[in-house]
Amino acid sequence: MINVKPIAKHAKHCYYLATQIAEDLLLSAVNYGFEYMPSYAINSLVGIKLQHGINHDIDSTLALFPLKDNYPVMAETVQHNARFLCELFKLDAAMKPMMVLIIVLNANAGLKELLNLLADHDTDILIHWLEQETGLSSDDIHGQLEPLARNRFIEGAALLLPHLLRIPEPFRVLLVTEKLTRREALLAPIIKHSPTAQFKLKQFEHVNADLVYRYLRAAMTQRLKGVNILLYGAAGTGKTELSRTLAKALRRSLVEVQSVQFEDGKVTDEFLSKEPTSQRLTYLNLLQSLLDGSDESLLLVDECESVFKHADEHYSKEGLMRLLETNPVPAIWITNHVSQLEPSYIRRFKLVMEIPVPDEAFSFAMSKTMLKSLKVSDAFRLVLASKSNAAPAYIANAAHVASTLALTGDEAEIVVLDVIDATLEACGEEPPAAKYQGQLSFDPSCLNLNAIDGQDTQSIISDIDTAIANSLPVRVLLNGPPGTGKTGWVHHLAETHGMDIMHIKCSDVLSKYVGESEQNIAALFREAHRTKKLMLFDEVDSLLSQRESAQAQYEVQLINELLSQLECNTMPVFAATNALSAIDSAVMRRFDFKLTCDYLTESQRQTLYKQVLGITKLTQTEADQLHALQQLTPGDFAIVARRMLFQPNHNHRATAITLLTQENNRKQATRRIGFIN
């Protein structure tokens, strides 16, 4: 007698149905010489515990099968859902036994193991049984399974490889426990409806949201296929919120396509999958197939770069491209890293749009909604709006913290600012660049500008002034030692003509990732065009060194990209350098005007000396000493002004010349040190 130990039984394992199918298969298998079942397979099939390592003959195996169905409702549910799947995927009604088999083998590991054993023994066993059960040929059965495989409901339509009949995890329990009558009920485990939008479409005036809305509305009306929108930009800039707003305006439910599922705040087994991206694509295919013809949904694929990154690794690249060209349900794809998408993918999106960090007007308007319950002042909202890198997501999170603490007014304002600043610091974000403000008031008369190519300097300055006044795309290269006033002059011009300035440092451009520096350059020019800002590249020689000295191809590509952007810039561009000789000759030709900002003339030195010290007349000694200091800059006099600020009771006239002499001497050419033979 076989020693049998029952194990915990659950209806979801379909023990009775599994053994009914297994009995028919085993009786057929006898004719093919199949004689024994291993105990481990019987354990899972029947829900009992046998001694491991023992094979049981067919008769003893059949004797272990239950004689009574303890879960008749479950068996009825499986039969119902098999018919439902046939109707849903437009299969022949004769395929019902096949669908029952698929449902049960996904619920019962023992039946799946038996099918694999039979396939290894003789492939005709399963095929013969299926032909008898369905009345269809094996070719017809295979053809009927193709839509399931194409839509990723099963992994493959190969009858000789039963493990490919596996269906996604979220559906396995559902199909044996709940009678399904609507496709939405089947999709429920993989659907996450995005929260309702908080904003109106007109609030996204800093992007061309109206174009996206009008295109989606027209495409939906015409039931076009292959409608995909790509939104890209830095994290937290409002891409997801814009998607929700578009869905709300279109009166569609925004469905987020995810690979990670959450139940009661806990991550399910999907998170533990070795191929979560592949599963995500599976869900996307299913949603596209089963929502076809629905006028209710708009799909959202967030962090989509992972889907494209793993193409050809876990699934077909061609299949992914075909999805982008043929999907029946419109989809919005979102990424923070558009550089990770190949151009071949990007070209297949109908609309591609960058979502920049919102401007002050948008941030101010958006914060009204997010901070409404906190009762903060308009002045505080203006402060937040001025934080150009404080993305909407940062503000929303900070508002949540303050709201949770039940803070309002001044207390809320303090907490919101603290939370935002801490987040920015953790993200490696620098605070917004402070408005340029020298220690000395900028005085154009103390600027020693000279044309590099021998042209009339005053005429050039006049032309530059006219170009900026009319927002013409003038390109100006400024050369000269540090502190001579290059940056101050550019800020003075911008302020004079009421323009905002985009001050660009090397760190704003260069990236450790190949190709991203060029993309940063292009993004900066686009931003300048969008915001109508004057561009100032500081220490541009670090970006535009001679291509002959470039150490790698990516350095050449960076120079070429900047040259290309300079050719088609729409706003004034200034570039400042202390090392003119290091700049590529092709770059030099791209600039309309080239000026040197030189050391102060003698009269300028005297003027600044009197101005800083607050005196009206120089002593002869002071005049003689200043005459000898021919490498002074406005920046050197700013140092004196700062000393006076920090030491108000000190006699600075007595020490000013000494300090200026020290700064002047720092700029002297360094003598070579060598050995005398």
Side-chain angles (χ1 to χ4, degrees):
M1 185 175 177
I2 301 173
N3 185 21
V4 178
K5 276 183 156 182
I7 59 177
K9 294 194 175 193
H10 302 282
K12 65 182 182 181
H13 294 303
C14 297
Y15 293 122
Y16 185 76
L17 273 179
T19 55
Q20 289 292 298
I21 296 171
E23 182 175 352
D24 289 344
L25 288 169
L26 288 172
L27 292 176
S28 298
V30 172
N31 300 324
Y32 292 86
F34 189 83
E35 298 181 358
Y36 299 101
M37 274 278 286
S39 57
Y40 70 87
I42 299 174
N43 290 343
S44 300
L45 181 66
V46 187
I48 59 178
K49 190 173 182 178
L50 300 174
Q51 186 177 347
H52 283 287
I54 298 177
N55 291 330
H56 300 270
D57 60 36
I58 302 301
D59 288 336
S60 60
T61 299
L62 295 176
L64 296 172
F65 289 179
L67 300 176
K68 179 183 176 183
D69 186 2
N70 294 320
Y71 304 98
V73 175
M74 184 273 307
E76 183 183 343
T77 298
V78 171
Q79 296 288 344
H80 170 89
N81 288 337
R83 288 193 298 270
F84 170 75
L85 292 176
C86 287
E87 295 170 1
L88 186 63
F89 289 100
K90 298 179 175 59
L91 309 181
D92 194 305
M95 284 289 290
K96 178 189 167 188
M98 182 74 228
M99 300 312 296
V100 170
L101 176 69
I102 290 175
I103 294 172
V104 177
L105 74 86
N106 276 276
N108 188 287
L111 180 61
K112 182 168 65 176
E113 186 59 42
L114 172 61
L115 292 177
N116 287 327
L117 290 170
L118 295 177
D120 291 340
H121 183 79
D122 194 318
T123 56
D124 287 341
I125 300 174
L126 177 60
I127 291 175
H128 179 69
W129 180 79
L130 286 171
E131 288 179 336
Q132 283 190 320
E133 291 292 317
T134 62
L136 302 173
S137 68
S138 60
D139 289 341
D140 289 339
I141 295 173
H142 183 273
Q144 290 280 313
L145 290 175
E146 278 296 333
L148 278 71
R150 185 171 62 252
N151 294 308
R152 309 280 297 227
F153 188 75
I154 59 175
E155 294 186 14
L159 297 179
L160 304 182
L161 300 170
H163 66 278
L164 294 181
L165 299 176
R166 185 173 67 176
I167 62 178
E169 177 68 29
F171 305 127
R172 296 175 191 174
V173 174
L174 182 68
L175 287 168
V176 300
T177 57
E178 186 176 331
K179 288 185 179 180
L180 305 175
T181 57
R182 297 168 63 248
R183 59 187 174 183
E184 290 77 12
L186 175 66
L187 296 173
I190 64 171
I191 281 182
K192 179 188 177 184
H193 290 283
S194 194
T196 305
Q198 303 180 58
F199 306 99
K200 297 179 180 178
L201 204 61
K202 65 180 182 181
Q203 292 179 278
F204 290 86
E205 292 181 348
H206 66 297
V207 298
N208 200 352
D210 184 65
L211 172 63
V212 185
Y213 166 75
R214 288 188 291 112
Y215 169 70
L216 283 172
R217 185 179 62 182
M220 291 172 177
T221 301
Q222 301 172 42
R223 296 188 177 277
L224 301 181
K225 295 183 180 294
V227 176
N228 294 282
I229 311 294
L230 178 64
L231 303 180
Y232 70 96
T237 53
K239 299 181 293 294
T240 302
E241 194 59 46
L242 173 58
S243 303
R244 292 169 181 168
T245 304
L246 285 166
K248 182 180 179 181
L250 294 163
R251 298 182 179 180
R252 291 222 172 187
S253 174
L254 188 65
V255 177
E256 299 183 20
V257 183
Q258 300 181 324
S259 59
V260 180
Q261 300 293 310
F262 296 88
E263 296 178 359
D264 299 325
K266 298 179 180 178
V267 184
T268 66
D269 291 342
E270 294 294 303
F271 184 78
L272 303 175
S273 170
K274 295 180 180 179
E275 302 178 8
T277 303
S278 182
Q279 289 180 334
R280 194 180 193 193
L281 193 60
T282 293
Y283 301 159
L284 180 59
N285 270 279
L286 271 172
L287 289 169
Q288 286 290 357
S289 173
L290 298 181
L291 293 176
D292 187 8
S294 171
D295 295 328
E296 301 174 356
S297 300
L298 177 66
L299 300 186
L300 175 65
V301 188
D302 202 354
E303 298 179 356
C304 68
E305 64 274 3
S306 63
V307 174
F308 298 98
K309 184 179 179 181
H310 295 286
D312 275 348
E313 185 178 338
H314 301 308
Y315 41 81
S316 164
K317 187 175 183 178
E318 289 75 15
L320 182 54
M321 288 182 176
R322 189 164 56 252
L323 173 66
L324 289 173
E325 295 170 348
T326 62
N327 59 296
V329 183
I332 297 175
W333 304 65
I334 291 176
T335 180
N336 303 334
H337 308 285
V338 72
S339 60
Q340 297 185 16
L341 274 65
E342 295 179 15
S344 57
Y345 291 128
I346 296 176
R347 286 196 298 268
R348 283 167 168 79
F349 287 93
K350 294 298 188 290
L351 270 177
V352 179
M353 183 172 293
E354 181 182 13
I355 309 300
V357 175
D359 56 23
E360 289 191 23
F362 177 83
S363 296
F364 183 74
M366 181 172 278
S367 65
K368 184 176 183 179
T369 300
M370 292 187 289
L371 304 174
K372 185 177 181 180
S373 64
L374 303 181
K375 300 179 180 179
V376 299
S377 65
D378 287 345
F380 175 73
R381 288 169 55 214
L382 284 171
V383 171
L384 286 186
S386 67
K387 288 179 168 289
S388 59
N389 52 356
Y394 300 167
I395 299 174
N397 290 337
H400 167 76
V401 173
S403 178
T404 303
L405 296 173
L407 302 177
T408 58
D410 293 345
E411 291 182 321
E413 292 177 3
I414 293 171
V415 169
V416 168
L417 274 179
D418 286 346
V419 172
I420 291 174
D421 289 342
T423 303
L424 289 172
E425 184 178 355
C427 293
E429 296 275 0
E430 295 183 1
K435 185 178 180 181
Y436 177 84
Q437 186 174 359
Q439 188 62 45
L440 299 178
S441 300
F442 184 82
D443 184 357
S445 67
C446 293
L447 193 69
N448 189 12
L449 283 174
N450 298 285
I452 293 177
D453 47 12
Q455 298 183 43
D456 182 64
T457 302
Q458 290 305 314
S459 178
I460 290 177
I461 293 174
S462 178
D463 290 344
I464 293 172
D465 195 70
T466 300
I468 297 175
N470 294 280
S471 296
L472 300 177
V474 64
R475 301 184 290 257
V476 182
L477 179 64
L478 296 176
N479 173 55
T484 51
K486 301 184 296 295
T487 300
W489 184 52
V490 177
H491 280 269
H492 169 73
L493 288 172
E495 185 175 345
T496 300
H497 296 288
M499 292 190 71
D500 291 328
I501 197 166
M502 181 186 291
H503 197 154
I504 303 160
K505 305 183 295 297
C506 181
S507 58
D508 297 326
V509 175
L510 297 179
S511 170
K512 63 181 179 180
Y513 300 108
V514 175
E516 198 162 278
S517 296
E518 298 94 294
Q519 293 173 2
N520 291 341
I521 286 283
L524 287 168
F525 275 87
R526 288 197 303 272
E527 178 69 7
H529 172 75
R530 186 182 68 83
T531 58
K532 307 300 180 188
K533 289 182 178 179
L534 181 152
M535 303 181 76
L536 170 59
F537 286 88
D538 212 356
E539 298 180 358
V540 75
D541 49 281
S542 60
L543 303 175
L544 296 175
S545 58
Q546 296 184 12
R547 279 172 285 191
E548 292 79 3
S549 63
Q551 300 297 309
Q553 179 63 27
Y554 66 83
E555 293 180 275
V556 176
Q557 291 173 343
L558 174 61
I559 297 172
N560 291 339
E561 179 63 32
L562 188 46
L563 291 178
S564 176
Q565 293 295 334
L566 284 171
E567 285 287 346
C568 56
N569 69 298
T570 61
M571 299 301 295
V573 178
F574 286 76
T577 179
N578 308 326
L580 187 65
S581 60
I583 294 180
D584 190 279
S585 57
V587 175
M588 296 286 287
R589 293 194 298 270
R590 295 310 196 279
F591 287 95
D592 305 305
F593 304 108
K594 295 172 276 288
L595 295 168
T596 290
C597 197
D598 215 336
Y599 295 117
L600 295 168
T601 64
E602 183 172 3
S603 64
Q604 289 174 332
R605 296 195 294 272
Q606 291 183 2
T607 297
L608 278 176
Y609 187 85
K610 290 186 286 186
Q611 179 183 323
V612 170
L613 293 174
I615 59 179
T616 58
K617 188 176 180 180
L618 301 179
T619 67
Q620 188 58 47
T621 302
E622 289 173 325
D624 292 342
Q625 290 173 319
L626 286 172
H627 174 76
L629 303 178
Q630 298 183 11
Q631 291 181 300
L632 290 179
T633 70
D636 298 328
F637 286 92
I639 294 174
V640 177
R642 288 182 62 82
R643 289 285 184 92
M644 295 175 67
L645 177 67
F646 300 141
Q647 301 171 337
N649 299 321
H650 184 74
N651 182 11
H652 291 280
R653 188 170 186 175
T655 58
I657 292 293
T658 302
L659 182 58
L660 290 171
T661 301
Q662 292 173 347
E663 296 303 320
N664 184 86
N665 293 343
R666 295 184 202 278
K667 307 179 185 80
Q668 304 296 320
T670 304
R671 297 183 61 183
R672 294 180 180 270
I673 300 175
F675 294 97
I676 301 175
N677 295 323

